[in-house]
Amino acid sequence: MTSPPGVAGPPMPNMLHEDVLSMIGNTPLVDVSNLSPNPNVRILAKMEMQNPFGSVKDRIAKNMIETAEADGRLQPGQTILEPSSGNTGIALAAIAGIKGNPIKIMMPDSVSIERRQMLAIFGAEIILTPGPEGSNGAVARAKALAAKHPEWYFPYQYANDANPRAHFEGTGPEIVRDAPEITHFVAGLGTSGTLMGTGTFLKQHDPTIQVIAVEPPLGERVEGLRNIGDGYIPPVFENWNGYELLDRKRVVRPRESIEWTRRLVNECGIFAGISAGAAMAGAAKLASQIDFGTIVFIVCDGGWKYLSTGAYTDDLDVAEANAESIIYF
């Protein structure tokens, strides 16, 4: 589809890339309207698993590193430190390896083994933090360590403007280019960068487009998501006026996330991570509550990094119980 008047949009992808970093972005949309409970509501999946390092976080990792290089905060050979439960760490490690920067990733010891393996493959030093502290604990410990080592570069995705900016300049324009009829955008609340950047672009393009956040119930864990009432509100969310930007929030429980992840696999052939199931659950709930429209939601990553968790093959009750002890994202 061509861009609507007044929206240039990103360039269409080329078949020949100058390097792997130029493959980041321009991910396809896939129609999964067969999962829509309303025949008058179309549902489209933005396939961020197609990025070269496997997730939507490829976008922000590239932008944070290249922005820091451009303004002099990151020098050749300088060590990078970042808290991550997986996807951002993997993308940062891959890009740091290409550019020759050592990198240390702080993560809870309750993440899936595949995440640790990927970080090791890309050469990251993994610093484990106590699993019961979750992602918030890893963030707090990383901030303390960064304060002791000002000579390291600390991207800090939760407060880095290059995080939402990557989506404002890339993800949002791509969606408008490929689905100009969009009426609703659904994504999970993690660092909030995807929602803030993409949502801001969409609202500027068409103020009638609604932006919906998917979050777990307070005190419960859903892969890749956070409830902003859990004691930590990402600075990105506040800096990009998150409370004003969001039209509504949808609560999705762990069991629902796993059920819809399995439906994506079984009925659409999309082998996605659990956060995609959560976003799809939110999109389905929304579709049942509106008369008509086109919903776009984010498939953050693929399911191959979560095989060891049993989320796809275990009895549903067992998989739900595992979600309380394993950090999938």
Side-chain angles (χ1 to χ4, degrees):
M1 297 181 182
T2 58
S3 298
V7 178
M12 293 298 289
N14 297 318
M15 294 301 292
L16 175 63
H17 294 270
E18 60 184 22
D19 57 33
V20 73
L21 297 184
S22 66
M23 294 172 61
I24 295 174
N26 277 307
T27 56
L29 287 173
V30 174
D31 196 319
V32 294
S33 299
N34 58 307
L35 298 182
S36 177
N38 184 341
N40 295 317
V41 177
R42 193 181 188 198
I43 302 179
L44 306 177
K46 179 73 166 158
M47 301 289 280
E48 291 299 298
M49 69 212 308
Q50 298 286 349
N51 283 305
F53 311 122
S55 82
V56 67
K57 300 296 188 177
D58 289 18
R59 295 178 184 266
I60 73 167
K62 178 185 177 184
N63 204 37
M64 289 191 300
I65 286 181
E66 293 187 346
T67 299
E69 288 178 323
D71 63 23
R73 286 178 294 136
L74 177 61
Q75 299 295 321
Q78 185 177 4
T79 294
I80 299 171
L81 168 70
E82 181 71 0
S84 172
S85 295
N87 281 332
T88 302
I90 290 170
L92 282 172
I95 298 171
I98 292 170
K99 292 177 176 288
N101 293 93
I103 186 166
K104 303 175 187 291
I105 300 295
M106 298 192 76
M107 63 193 321
D109 60 18
S110 50
V111 301
S112 66
I113 186 63
E114 293 92 342
R115 292 307 182 96
R116 299 192 210 178
Q117 291 171 333
M118 287 301 300
L119 286 168
I121 287 169
F122 285 122
E125 177 187 344
I126 302 171
I127 304 173
L128 296 176
T129 61
E133 295 181 5
S135 298
N136 289 353
V139 169
R141 289 172 182 265
K143 290 172 69 175
L145 187 58
K148 294 179 181 178
H149 292 276
E151 73 276 14
W152 296 347
Y153 171 54
F154 184 46
Y156 192 32
Q157 59 184 310
Y158 295 93
N160 194 320
D161 191 67
N163 173 354
R165 180 90 23 208
H167 297 291
F168 181 85
E169 296 174 354
T171 314
E174 290 171 25
I175 290 172
V176 169
R177 179 195 68 198
D178 297 337
E181 72 278 15
I182 180 176
T183 57
H184 299 77
F185 176 66
V186 177
L189 265 174
T191 68
S192 76
T194 303
L195 269 169
M196 296 301 99
T198 306
T200 298
F201 178 87
L202 294 175
K203 288 283 192 181
Q204 290 184 6
H205 167 69
D206 180 356
T208 68
I209 294 174
Q210 293 201 1
V211 178
I212 296 90
V214 172
E215 65 178 5
L218 190 63
E220 294 189 29
R221 177 177 293 161
V222 171
E223 179 273 318
L225 310 183
R226 71 166 62 245
N227 186 302
I228 58 175
D230 72 356
Y232 179 74
I233 300 175
V236 161
F237 182 83
E238 295 185 315
N239 293 343
W240 282 62
N241 301 311
Y243 291 108
E244 292 76 26
L245 179 70
L246 295 182
D247 291 286
R248 64 183 89 176
K249 293 189 290 183
R250 284 290 173 266
V251 172
V252 174
R253 305 186 74 89
R255 190 182 187 93
E256 293 176 284
S257 302
I258 296 170
E259 288 174 334
W260 282 96
T261 300
R262 293 182 178 188
R263 290 195 65 181
L264 281 170
V265 175
N266 297 330
E267 299 175 47
C268 302
I270 296 176
F271 182 39
I274 313 301
S275 65
M280 179 62 225
K285 289 183 179 184
L286 175 64
S288 68
Q289 297 167 347
I290 60 178
D291 294 328
F292 60 88
T294 296
I295 301 170
V296 175
F297 76 96
I298 297 293
V299 177
C300 289
D301 64 357
W304 54 271
K305 294 191 290 293
Y306 313 103
L307 286 171
S308 66
T309 68
Y312 306 87
T313 54
D314 283 353
D315 177 83
L316 192 56
D317 290 335
V318 174
E320 182 183 9
N322 285 342
E324 296 301 318
S325 60
I326 300 171
I327 294 180
Y328 291 139
F329 60 97

